[in-house]
PDB file of all heavy atoms in Angstrom:
ATOM      1  N   LYS A   1     244.844 257.817  75.388  1.00 90.00           N
ATOM      2  CA  LYS A   1     243.407 257.542  75.455  1.00 90.00           C
ATOM      3  C   LYS A   1     243.085 256.434  76.446  1.00 90.00           C
ATOM      4  O   LYS A   1     242.014 256.418  77.053  1.00 90.00           O
ATOM      5  CB  LYS A   1     242.876 257.174  74.071  1.00 90.00           C
ATOM      6  CG  LYS A   1     242.782 258.359  73.115  1.00 90.00           C
ATOM      7  CD  LYS A   1     242.215 257.925  71.771  1.00 90.00           C
ATOM      8  CE  LYS A   1     242.047 259.118  70.835  1.00 90.00           C
ATOM      9  NZ  LYS A   1     241.526 258.710  69.500  1.00 90.00           N
ATOM     10  N   SER A   2     244.011 255.499  76.614  1.00 87.00           N
ATOM     11  CA  SER A   2     243.777 254.365  77.510  1.00 87.00           C
ATOM     12  C   SER A   2     244.322 254.601  78.912  1.00 87.00           C
ATOM     13  O   SER A   2     244.155 253.754  79.786  1.00 87.00           O
ATOM     14  CB  SER A   2     244.437 253.110  76.927  1.00 87.00           C
ATOM     15  OG  SER A   2     245.850 253.257  76.948  1.00 87.00           O
ATOM     16  N   GLY A   3     244.999 255.717  79.104  1.00 84.00           N
ATOM     17  CA  GLY A   3     245.649 255.943  80.386  1.00 84.00           C
ATOM     18  C   GLY A   3     246.948 255.180  80.527  1.00 84.00           C
ATOM     19  O   GLY A   3     247.552 255.167  81.600  1.00 84.00           O
ATOM     20  N   GLY A   4     247.376 254.529  79.443  1.00 82.00           N
ATOM     21  CA  GLY A   4     248.635 253.796  79.467  1.00 82.00           C
ATOM     22  C   GLY A   4     248.534 252.391  80.000  1.00 82.00           C
ATOM     23  O   GLY A   4     249.493 251.626  79.952  1.00 82.00           O
ATOM     24  N   ALA A   5     247.362 252.017  80.533  1.00 85.00           N
ATOM     25  CA  ALA A   5     247.192 250.696  81.142  1.00 85.00           C
ATOM     26  C   ALA A   5     246.737 249.691  80.097  1.00 85.00           C
ATOM     27  O   ALA A   5     245.605 249.208  80.107  1.00 85.00           O
ATOM     28  CB  ALA A   5     246.198 250.765  82.290  1.00 85.00           C
ATOM     29  N   LEU A   6     247.620 249.384  79.157  1.00 90.00           N
ATOM     30  CA  LEU A   6     247.329 248.424  78.095  1.00 90.00           C
ATOM     31  C   LEU A   6     248.404 247.345  78.081  1.00 90.00           C
ATOM     32  O   LEU A   6     249.590 247.629  78.313  1.00 90.00           O
ATOM     33  CB  LEU A   6     247.320 249.106  76.725  1.00 90.00           C
ATOM     34  CG  LEU A   6     246.109 249.956  76.333  1.00 90.00           C
ATOM     35  CD1 LEU A   6     246.358 250.560  74.954  1.00 90.00           C
ATOM     36  CD2 LEU A   6     244.842 249.127  76.319  1.00 90.00           C
ATOM     37  N   SER A   7     248.000 246.125  77.790  1.00 92.00           N
ATOM     38  CA  SER A   7     248.987 245.084  77.535  1.00 92.00           C
ATOM     39  C   SER A   7     249.579 245.311  76.150  1.00 92.00           C
ATOM     40  O   SER A   7     249.019 246.033  75.317  1.00 92.00           O
ATOM     41  CB  SER A   7     248.335 243.700  77.592  1.00 92.00           C
ATOM     42  OG  SER A   7     247.451 243.525  76.490  1.00 92.00           O
ATOM     43  N   TYR A   8     250.722 244.694  75.894  1.00 94.00           N
ATOM     44  CA  TYR A   8     251.318 244.807  74.570  1.00 94.00           C
ATOM     45  C   TYR A   8     250.386 244.234  73.510  1.00 94.00           C
ATOM     46  O   TYR A   8     250.311 244.751  72.387  1.00 94.00           O
ATOM     47  CB  TYR A   8     252.660 244.086  74.525  1.00 94.00           C
ATOM     48  CG  TYR A   8     253.761 244.814  75.253  1.00 94.00           C
ATOM     49  CD1 TYR A   8     254.136 244.448  76.547  1.00 94.00           C
ATOM     50  CD2 TYR A   8     254.425 245.879  74.658  1.00 94.00           C
ATOM     51  CE1 TYR A   8     255.150 245.114  77.215  1.00 94.00           C
ATOM     52  CE2 TYR A   8     255.449 246.554  75.314  1.00 94.00           C
ATOM     53  CZ  TYR A   8     255.804 246.174  76.597  1.00 94.00           C
ATOM     54  OH  TYR A   8     256.798 246.840  77.272  1.00 94.00           O
ATOM     55  N   ALA A   9     249.669 243.160  73.845  1.00 91.00           N
ATOM     56  CA  ALA A   9     248.744 242.558  72.878  1.00 91.00           C
ATOM     57  C   ALA A   9     247.633 243.538  72.513  1.00 91.00           C
ATOM     58  O   ALA A   9     247.299 243.708  71.334  1.00 91.00           O
ATOM     59  CB  ALA A   9     248.158 241.269  73.457  1.00 91.00           C
ATOM     60  N   ASP A  10     247.052 244.207  73.513  1.00 91.00           N
ATOM     61  CA  ASP A  10     245.995 245.184  73.239  1.00 91.00           C
ATOM     62  C   ASP A  10     246.550 246.389  72.482  1.00 91.00           C
ATOM     63  O   ASP A  10     245.916 246.910  71.565  1.00 91.00           O
ATOM     64  CB  ASP A  10     245.354 245.657  74.548  1.00 91.00           C
ATOM     65  CG  ASP A  10     244.467 244.608  75.181  1.00 91.00           C
ATOM     66  OD1 ASP A  10     244.026 243.696  74.449  1.00 91.00           O
ATOM     67  OD2 ASP A  10     244.215 244.684  76.389  1.00 91.00           O
ATOM     68  N   LEU A  11     247.728 246.837  72.885  1.00 93.00           N
ATOM     69  CA  LEU A  11     248.345 247.986  72.227  1.00 93.00           C
ATOM     70  C   LEU A  11     248.614 247.677  70.751  1.00 93.00           C
ATOM     71  O   LEU A  11     248.404 248.535  69.886  1.00 93.00           O
ATOM     72  CB  LEU A  11     249.649 248.349  72.940  1.00 93.00           C
ATOM     73  CG  LEU A  11     250.406 249.565  72.422  1.00 93.00           C
ATOM     74  CD1 LEU A  11     249.569 250.831  72.535  1.00 93.00           C
ATOM     75  CD2 LEU A  11     251.727 249.733  73.181  1.00 93.00           C
ATOM     76  N   PHE A  12     249.048 246.474  70.470  1.00 93.00           N
ATOM     77  CA  PHE A  12     249.309 246.067  69.090  1.00 93.00           C
ATOM     78  C   PHE A  12     248.053 246.169  68.234  1.00 93.00           C
ATOM     79  O   PHE A  12     248.060 246.752  67.152  1.00 93.00           O
ATOM     80  CB  PHE A  12     249.845 244.635  69.085  1.00 93.00           C
ATOM     81  CG  PHE A  12     249.935 244.013  67.711  1.00 93.00           C
ATOM     82  CD1 PHE A  12     250.717 244.591  66.720  1.00 93.00           C
ATOM     83  CD2 PHE A  12     249.250 242.845  67.420  1.00 93.00           C
ATOM     84  CE1 PHE A  12     250.804 244.014  65.464  1.00 93.00           C
ATOM     85  CE2 PHE A  12     249.332 242.265  66.167  1.00 93.00           C
ATOM     86  CZ  PHE A  12     250.115 242.846  65.190  1.00 93.00           C
ATOM     87  N   VAL A  13     246.964 245.618  68.733  1.00 90.00           N
ATOM     88  CA  VAL A  13     245.718 245.619  67.966  1.00 90.00           C
ATOM     89  C   VAL A  13     245.236 247.043  67.720  1.00 90.00           C
ATOM     90  O   VAL A  13     244.875 247.422  66.595  1.00 90.00           O
ATOM     91  CB  VAL A  13     244.642 244.792  68.698  1.00 90.00           C
ATOM     92  CG1 VAL A  13     243.282 244.962  68.023  1.00 90.00           C
ATOM     93  CG2 VAL A  13     245.030 243.316  68.735  1.00 90.00           C
ATOM     94  N   ARG A  14     245.237 247.877  68.759  1.00 91.00           N
ATOM     95  CA  ARG A  14     244.717 249.238  68.624  1.00 91.00           C
ATOM     96  C   ARG A  14     245.637 250.122  67.788  1.00 91.00           C
ATOM     97  O   ARG A  14     245.179 250.923  66.964  1.00 91.00           O
ATOM     98  CB  ARG A  14     244.512 249.846  70.010  1.00 91.00           C
ATOM     99  CG  ARG A  14     243.518 249.073  70.870  1.00 91.00           C
ATOM    100  CD  ARG A  14     243.234 249.781  72.166  1.00 91.00           C
ATOM    101  NE  ARG A  14     242.475 248.929  73.071  1.00 91.00           N
ATOM    102  CZ  ARG A  14     241.820 249.376  74.137  1.00 91.00           C
ATOM    103  NH1 ARG A  14     241.841 250.669  74.429  1.00 91.00           N
ATOM    104  NH2 ARG A  14     241.162 248.538  74.913  1.00 91.00           N
ATOM    105  N   CYS A  15     246.937 249.983  68.013  1.00 93.00           N
ATOM    106  CA  CYS A  15     247.886 250.833  67.296  1.00 93.00           C
ATOM    107  C   CYS A  15     247.918 250.472  65.816  1.00 93.00           C
ATOM    108  O   CYS A  15     247.963 251.356  64.952  1.00 93.00           O
ATOM    109  CB  CYS A  15     249.267 250.682  67.918  1.00 93.00           C
ATOM    110  SG  CYS A  15     250.484 251.856  67.302  1.00 93.00           S
ATOM    111  N   ARG A  16     247.862 249.197  65.503  1.00 90.00           N
ATOM    112  CA  ARG A  16     247.902 248.787  64.105  1.00 90.00           C
ATOM    113  C   ARG A  16     246.685 249.318  63.346  1.00 90.00           C
ATOM    114  O   ARG A  16     246.799 249.824  62.235  1.00 90.00           O
ATOM    115  CB  ARG A  16     247.975 247.269  63.999  1.00 90.00           C
ATOM    116  CG  ARG A  16     248.224 246.768  62.575  1.00 90.00           C
ATOM    117  CD  ARG A  16     248.658 245.339  62.593  1.00 90.00           C
ATOM    118  NE  ARG A  16     248.712 244.759  61.263  1.00 90.00           N
ATOM    119  CZ  ARG A  16     249.757 244.164  60.738  1.00 90.00           C
ATOM    120  NH1 ARG A  16     250.873 244.096  61.428  1.00 90.00           N
ATOM    121  NH2 ARG A  16     249.717 243.622  59.525  1.00 90.00           N
ATOM    122  N   ALA A  17     245.510 249.208  63.971  1.00 89.00           N
ATOM    123  CA  ALA A  17     244.307 249.707  63.306  1.00 89.00           C
ATOM    124  C   ALA A  17     244.367 251.222  63.125  1.00 89.00           C
ATOM    125  O   ALA A  17     243.968 251.755  62.082  1.00 89.00           O
ATOM    126  CB  ALA A  17     243.076 249.312  64.108  1.00 89.00           C
ATOM    127  N   ALA A  18     244.875 251.938  64.138  1.00 91.00           N
ATOM    128  CA  ALA A  18     244.929 253.396  64.059  1.00 91.00           C
ATOM    129  C   ALA A  18     245.929 253.866  63.014  1.00 91.00           C
ATOM    130  O   ALA A  18     245.673 254.828  62.281  1.00 91.00           O
ATOM    131  CB  ALA A  18     245.284 253.980  65.431  1.00 91.00           C
ATOM    132  N   VAL A  19     247.082 253.201  62.913  1.00 91.00           N
ATOM    133  CA  VAL A  19     248.072 253.589  61.910  1.00 91.00           C
ATOM    134  C   VAL A  19     247.531 253.352  60.504  1.00 91.00           C
ATOM    135  O   VAL A  19     247.722 254.171  59.596  1.00 91.00           O
ATOM    136  CB  VAL A  19     249.397 252.819  62.122  1.00 91.00           C
ATOM    137  CG1 VAL A  19     250.306 252.961  60.897  1.00 91.00           C
ATOM    138  CG2 VAL A  19     250.120 253.336  63.356  1.00 91.00           C
ATOM    139  N   ARG A  20     246.810 252.249  60.315  1.00 86.00           N
ATOM    140  CA  ARG A  20     246.266 251.954  58.993  1.00 86.00           C
ATOM    141  C   ARG A  20     245.251 253.006  58.546  1.00 86.00           C
ATOM    142  O   ARG A  20     245.015 253.183  57.355  1.00 86.00           O
ATOM    143  CB  ARG A  20     245.614 250.566  58.983  1.00 86.00           C
ATOM    144  CG  ARG A  20     246.577 249.412  58.898  1.00 86.00           C
ATOM    145  CD  ARG A  20     247.413 249.437  57.642  1.00 86.00           C
ATOM    146  NE  ARG A  20     246.585 249.478  56.442  1.00 86.00           N
ATOM    147  CZ  ARG A  20     246.106 248.410  55.841  1.00 86.00           C
ATOM    148  NH1 ARG A  20     246.382 247.207  56.313  1.00 86.00           N
ATOM    149  NH2 ARG A  20     245.373 248.532  54.753  1.00 86.00           N
ATOM    150  N   SER A  21     244.648 253.712  59.492  1.00 84.00           N
ATOM    151  CA  SER A  21     243.710 254.767  59.117  1.00 84.00           C
ATOM    152  C   SER A  21     244.434 256.032  58.665  1.00 84.00           C
ATOM    153  O   SER A  21     243.816 256.937  58.104  1.00 84.00           O
ATOM    154  CB  SER A  21     242.785 255.097  60.295  1.00 84.00           C
ATOM    155  OG  SER A  21     243.491 255.749  61.336  1.00 84.00           O
ATOM    156  N   ARG A  22     245.757 256.096  58.907  1.00 86.00           N
ATOM    157  CA  ARG A  22     246.537 257.283  58.567  1.00 86.00           C
ATOM    158  C   ARG A  22     247.506 257.048  57.409  1.00 86.00           C
ATOM    159  O   ARG A  22     247.878 257.992  56.715  1.00 86.00           O
ATOM    160  CB  ARG A  22     247.321 257.759  59.793  1.00 86.00           C
ATOM    161  CG  ARG A  22     246.432 258.095  60.982  1.00 86.00           C
ATOM    162  CD  ARG A  22     247.231 258.540  62.179  1.00 86.00           C
ATOM    163  NE  ARG A  22     246.366 258.830  63.317  1.00 86.00           N
ATOM    164  CZ  ARG A  22     246.775 259.319  64.479  1.00 86.00           C
ATOM    165  NH1 ARG A  22     248.064 259.590  64.640  1.00 86.00           N
ATOM    166  NH2 ARG A  22     245.920 259.560  65.455  1.00 86.00           N
ATOM    167  N   ALA A  23     247.958 255.823  57.248  1.00 84.00           N
ATOM    168  CA  ALA A  23     248.910 255.491  56.183  1.00 84.00           C
ATOM    169  C   ALA A  23     248.416 254.233  55.485  1.00 84.00           C
ATOM    170  O   ALA A  23     248.093 253.243  56.132  1.00 84.00           O
ATOM    171  CB  ALA A  23     250.303 255.270  56.763  1.00 84.00           C
ATOM    172  N   ASP A  24     248.378 254.297  54.164  1.00 80.00           N
ATOM    173  CA  ASP A  24     247.791 253.204  53.398  1.00 80.00           C
ATOM    174  C   ASP A  24     248.632 251.943  53.444  1.00 80.00           C
ATOM    175  O   ASP A  24     248.105 250.839  53.443  1.00 80.00           O
ATOM    176  CB  ASP A  24     247.618 253.648  51.942  1.00 80.00           C
ATOM    177  CG  ASP A  24     246.947 252.591  51.094  1.00 80.00           C
ATOM    178  OD1 ASP A  24     245.756 252.314  51.359  1.00 80.00           O
ATOM    179  OD2 ASP A  24     247.599 252.039  50.192  1.00 80.00           O
ATOM    180  N   ASP A  25     249.942 252.071  53.511  1.00 82.00           N
ATOM    181  CA  ASP A  25     250.822 250.906  53.414  1.00 82.00           C
ATOM    182  C   ASP A  25     251.839 250.905  54.544  1.00 82.00           C
ATOM    183  O   ASP A  25     253.050 250.862  54.333  1.00 82.00           O
ATOM    184  CB  ASP A  25     251.531 250.899  52.048  1.00 82.00           C
ATOM    185  CG  ASP A  25     252.269 249.593  51.789  1.00 82.00           C
ATOM    186  OD1 ASP A  25     251.836 248.558  52.323  1.00 82.00           O
ATOM    187  OD2 ASP A  25     253.285 249.612  51.070  1.00 82.00           O
ATOM    188  N   GLN A  26     251.345 250.976  55.758  1.00 90.00           N
ATOM    189  CA  GLN A  26     252.218 250.906  56.927  1.00 90.00           C
ATOM    190  C   GLN A  26     251.495 250.136  58.032  1.00 90.00           C
ATOM    191  O   GLN A  26     250.482 250.589  58.541  1.00 90.00           O
ATOM    192  CB  GLN A  26     252.617 252.302  57.423  1.00 90.00           C
ATOM    193  CG  GLN A  26     253.558 252.249  58.634  1.00 90.00           C
ATOM    194  CD  GLN A  26     254.047 253.622  59.066  1.00 90.00           C
ATOM    195  OE1 GLN A  26     254.027 254.576  58.296  1.00 90.00           O
ATOM    196  NE2 GLN A  26     254.490 253.726  60.309  1.00 90.00           N
ATOM    197  N   ASN A  27     252.037 248.981  58.378  1.00 89.00           N
ATOM    198  CA  ASN A  27     251.451 248.137  59.420  1.00 89.00           C
ATOM    199  C   ASN A  27     252.458 247.952  60.549  1.00 89.00           C
ATOM    200  O   ASN A  27     253.468 247.260  60.361  1.00 89.00           O
ATOM    201  CB  ASN A  27     251.080 246.754  58.868  1.00 89.00           C
ATOM    202  CG  ASN A  27     250.033 246.825  57.775  1.00 89.00           C
ATOM    203  OD1 ASN A  27     249.053 247.540  57.899  1.00 89.00           O
ATOM    204  ND2 ASN A  27     250.254 246.090  56.700  1.00 89.00           N
ATOM    205  N   PRO A  28     252.247 248.562  61.709  1.00 91.00           N
ATOM    206  CA  PRO A  28     253.154 248.329  62.825  1.00 91.00           C
ATOM    207  C   PRO A  28     253.297 246.837  63.110  1.00 91.00           C
ATOM    208  O   PRO A  28     252.331 246.078  63.019  1.00 91.00           O
ATOM    209  CB  PRO A  28     252.477 249.053  63.992  1.00 91.00           C
ATOM    210  CG  PRO A  28     251.656 250.114  63.340  1.00 91.00           C
ATOM    211  CD  PRO A  28     251.167 249.507  62.060  1.00 91.00           C
ATOM    212  N   GLN A  29     254.510 246.446  63.436  1.00 90.00           N
ATOM    213  CA  GLN A  29     254.801 245.041  63.685  1.00 90.00           C
ATOM    214  C   GLN A  29     255.389 244.890  65.072  1.00 90.00           C
ATOM    215  O   GLN A  29     256.437 245.440  65.372  1.00 90.00           O
ATOM    216  CB  GLN A  29     255.797 244.509  62.637  1.00 90.00           C
ATOM    217  CG  GLN A  29     256.097 243.041  62.734  1.00 90.00           C
ATOM    218  CD  GLN A  29     254.930 242.172  62.333  1.00 90.00           C
ATOM    219  OE1 GLN A  29     254.027 242.641  61.630  1.00 90.00           O
ATOM    220  NE2 GLN A  29     254.913 240.933  62.762  1.00 90.00           N
ATOM    221  N   PHE A  30     254.705 244.165  65.952  1.00 91.00           N
ATOM    222  CA  PHE A  30     255.224 243.856  67.282  1.00 91.00           C
ATOM    223  C   PHE A  30     255.740 242.424  67.241  1.00 91.00           C
ATOM    224  O   PHE A  30     255.091 241.537  66.693  1.00 91.00           O
ATOM    225  CB  PHE A  30     254.138 243.971  68.349  1.00 91.00           C
ATOM    226  CG  PHE A  30     253.692 245.372  68.659  1.00 91.00           C
ATOM    227  CD1 PHE A  30     253.915 246.424  67.799  1.00 91.00           C
ATOM    228  CD2 PHE A  30     253.022 245.639  69.850  1.00 91.00           C
ATOM    229  CE1 PHE A  30     253.483 247.713  68.091  1.00 91.00           C
ATOM    230  CE2 PHE A  30     252.578 246.924  70.153  1.00 91.00           C
ATOM    231  CZ  PHE A  30     252.814 247.963  69.284  1.00 91.00           C
ATOM    232  N   GLU A  31     256.890 242.182  67.827  1.00 90.00           N
ATOM    233  CA  GLU A  31     257.468 240.847  67.849  1.00 90.00           C
ATOM    234  C   GLU A  31     257.962 240.540  69.256  1.00 90.00           C
ATOM    235  O   GLU A  31     258.790 241.269  69.797  1.00 90.00           O
ATOM    236  CB  GLU A  31     258.628 240.754  66.843  1.00 90.00           C
ATOM    237  CG  GLU A  31     258.226 241.013  65.395  1.00 90.00           C
ATOM    238  CD  GLU A  31     259.404 240.995  64.437  1.00 90.00           C
ATOM    239  OE1 GLU A  31     260.456 240.430  64.803  1.00 90.00           O
ATOM    240  OE2 GLU A  31     259.284 241.542  63.329  1.00 90.00           O
ATOM    241  N   ALA A  32     257.426 239.464  69.834  1.00 90.00           N
ATOM    242  CA  ALA A  32     257.829 239.023  71.175  1.00 90.00           C
ATOM    243  C   ALA A  32     258.843 237.894  71.031  1.00 90.00           C
ATOM    244  O   ALA A  32     258.588 236.917  70.327  1.00 90.00           O
ATOM    245  CB  ALA A  32     256.611 238.560  71.966  1.00 90.00           C
ATOM    246  N   TYR A  33     259.975 238.024  71.688  1.00 90.00           N
ATOM    247  CA  TYR A  33     261.057 237.059  71.549  1.00 90.00           C
ATOM    248  C   TYR A  33     261.270 236.275  72.842  1.00 90.00           C
ATOM    249  O   TYR A  33     261.100 236.812  73.948  1.00 90.00           O
ATOM    250  CB  TYR A  33     262.366 237.772  71.187  1.00 90.00           C
ATOM    251  CG  TYR A  33     262.364 238.387  69.804  1.00 90.00           C
ATOM    252  CD1 TYR A  33     261.910 239.684  69.594  1.00 90.00           C
ATOM    253  CD2 TYR A  33     262.809 237.657  68.701  1.00 90.00           C
ATOM    254  CE1 TYR A  33     261.916 240.239  68.319  1.00 90.00           C
ATOM    255  CE2 TYR A  33     262.819 238.221  67.428  1.00 90.00           C
ATOM    256  CZ  TYR A  33     262.375 239.504  67.248  1.00 90.00           C
ATOM    257  OH  TYR A  33     262.368 240.063  65.993  1.00 90.00           O
ATOM    258  N   ASP A  34     261.649 235.013  72.674  1.00 89.00           N
ATOM    259  CA  ASP A  34     262.058 234.153  73.785  1.00 89.00           C
ATOM    260  C   ASP A  34     261.000 234.121  74.896  1.00 89.00           C
ATOM    261  O   ASP A  34     261.289 234.304  76.063  1.00 89.00           O
ATOM    262  CB  ASP A  34     263.408 234.619  74.355  1.00 89.00           C
ATOM    263  CG  ASP A  34     264.067 233.565  75.233  1.00 89.00           C
ATOM    264  OD1 ASP A  34     263.794 232.375  75.030  1.00 89.00           O
ATOM    265  OD2 ASP A  34     264.842 233.953  76.139  1.00 89.00           O
ATOM    266  N   ARG A  35     259.733 233.900  74.459  1.00 87.00           N
ATOM    267  CA  ARG A  35     258.603 233.763  75.383  1.00 87.00           C
ATOM    268  C   ARG A  35     258.330 235.044  76.202  1.00 87.00           C
ATOM    269  O   ARG A  35     257.878 234.968  77.351  1.00 87.00           O
ATOM    270  CB  ARG A  35     258.787 232.565  76.321  1.00 87.00           C
ATOM    271  CG  ARG A  35     258.727 231.232  75.586  1.00 87.00           C
ATOM    272  CD  ARG A  35     258.572 230.062  76.528  1.00 87.00           C
ATOM    273  NE  ARG A  35     258.344 228.840  75.783  1.00 87.00           N
ATOM    274  CZ  ARG A  35     257.151 228.455  75.337  1.00 87.00           C
ATOM    275  NH1 ARG A  35     256.096 229.214  75.556  1.00 87.00           N
ATOM    276  NH2 ARG A  35     257.020 227.328  74.671  1.00 87.00           N
ATOM    277  N   PHE A  36     258.618 236.180  75.639  1.00 92.00           N
ATOM    278  CA  PHE A  36     258.167 237.423  76.265  1.00 92.00           C
ATOM    279  C   PHE A  36     256.645 237.393  76.306  1.00 92.00           C
ATOM    280  O   PHE A  36     255.990 237.127  75.299  1.00 92.00           O
ATOM    281  CB  PHE A  36     258.655 238.627  75.460  1.00 92.00           C
ATOM    282  CG  PHE A  36     258.349 239.954  76.110  1.00 92.00           C
ATOM    283  CD1 PHE A  36     259.314 240.617  76.836  1.00 92.00           C
ATOM    284  CD2 PHE A  36     257.094 240.533  75.983  1.00 92.00           C
ATOM    285  CE1 PHE A  36     259.040 241.847  77.432  1.00 92.00           C
ATOM    286  CE2 PHE A  36     256.808 241.751  76.570  1.00 92.00           C
ATOM    287  CZ  PHE A  36     257.772 242.415  77.300  1.00 92.00           C
ATOM    288  N   ASP A  37     256.073 237.671  77.463  1.00 91.00           N
ATOM    289  CA  ASP A  37     254.620 237.578  77.641  1.00 91.00           C
ATOM    290  C   ASP A  37     253.951 238.842  77.126  1.00 91.00           C
ATOM    291  O   ASP A  37     254.039 239.909  77.739  1.00 91.00           O
ATOM    292  CB  ASP A  37     254.299 237.364  79.123  1.00 91.00           C
ATOM    293  CG  ASP A  37     252.816 237.133  79.387  1.00 91.00           C
ATOM    294  OD1 ASP A  37     252.016 237.200  78.433  1.00 91.00           O
ATOM    295  OD2 ASP A  37     252.463 236.886  80.553  1.00 91.00           O
ATOM    296  N   ALA A  38     253.256 238.721  75.993  1.00 91.00           N
ATOM    297  CA  ALA A  38     252.589 239.879  75.395  1.00 91.00           C
ATOM    298  C   ALA A  38     251.383 240.336  76.195  1.00 91.00           C
ATOM    299  O   ALA A  38     250.815 241.388  75.906  1.00 91.00           O
ATOM    300  CB  ALA A  38     252.163 239.548  73.965  1.00 91.00           C
ATOM    301  N   GLY A  39     250.990 239.563  77.202  1.00 90.00           N
ATOM    302  CA  GLY A  39     249.883 239.978  78.055  1.00 90.00           C
ATOM    303  C   GLY A  39     250.302 240.898  79.182  1.00 90.00           C
ATOM    304  O   GLY A  39     249.442 241.414  79.912  1.00 90.00           O
ATOM    305  N   THR A  40     251.606 241.140  79.322  1.00 92.00           N
ATOM    306  CA  THR A  40     252.067 242.061  80.354  1.00 92.00           C
ATOM    307  C   THR A  40     251.821 243.499  79.920  1.00 92.00           C
ATOM    308  O   THR A  40     251.674 243.797  78.742  1.00 92.00           O
ATOM    309  CB  THR A  40     253.566 241.871  80.644  1.00 92.00           C
ATOM    310  OG1 THR A  40     254.306 242.045  79.427  1.00 92.00           O
ATOM    311  CG2 THR A  40     253.833 240.478  81.177  1.00 92.00           C
TER     312      THR A  40
END
């Protein structure tokens, strides 16, 4: 839907909300390690 041009931060917000609309008890978890830039 986005054409793939999303940062990890934006993808996290959108994907988490969309999954919650399909599964009652499933929250995707993104974790950035060692200063990985979530804005990339």
Side-chain angles (χ1 to χ4, degrees):
K1 287 181 177 179
S2 67
L6 284 178
S7 69
Y8 286 99
D10 287 339
L11 182 61
F12 170 59
V13 171
R14 299 186 190 196
C15 189
R16 188 164 171 126
V19 166
R20 282 299 304 273
S21 70
R22 301 179 181 184
D24 183 66
D25 190 29
Q26 181 175 339
N27 298 316
Q29 184 70 21
F30 289 19
E31 299 177 20
Y33 292 89
D34 196 26
R35 293 194 172 276
F36 186 99
D37 185 357
T40 57

